[in-house]
Amino acid sequence: MFVCMCYGITDKQIKSAVETHGVGNMRELKQVMTLGSQCGKCVELAQEIIDNTIMDD
Ligand code: FES
């Protein structure tokens, strides 16, 4: 599913950034992909996906 409509970022892309780049928060996520800087509506959900992916490990 799309998390960030503005930049077309999916939950799968976020999960893979956590798994392959060791992304742990929004600041680090923004270093590997562009999201959250248009409307900002996706920021909360993106952080939840990061947290859940880390917990699943
Ligand atoms: Fe991500 Fe708008 S949905 S910046």
Side-chain angles (χ1 to χ4, degrees), residues 2 4 16-18 26-27 33-34 36 41 44-46:
F2 280 105
C4 182
S16 110
V18 173
M26 277 306 289
R27 189 179 50 82
M33 63 182 66
T34 308
K41 281 184 190 149
E44 221 169 290
L45 181 55

Side-chain angles (χ1 to χ4, degrees), residues 4-6 36-40 42:
C4 182
M5 295 295 180
C6 297
S37 54
Q38 280 281 344
C39 71
C42 56

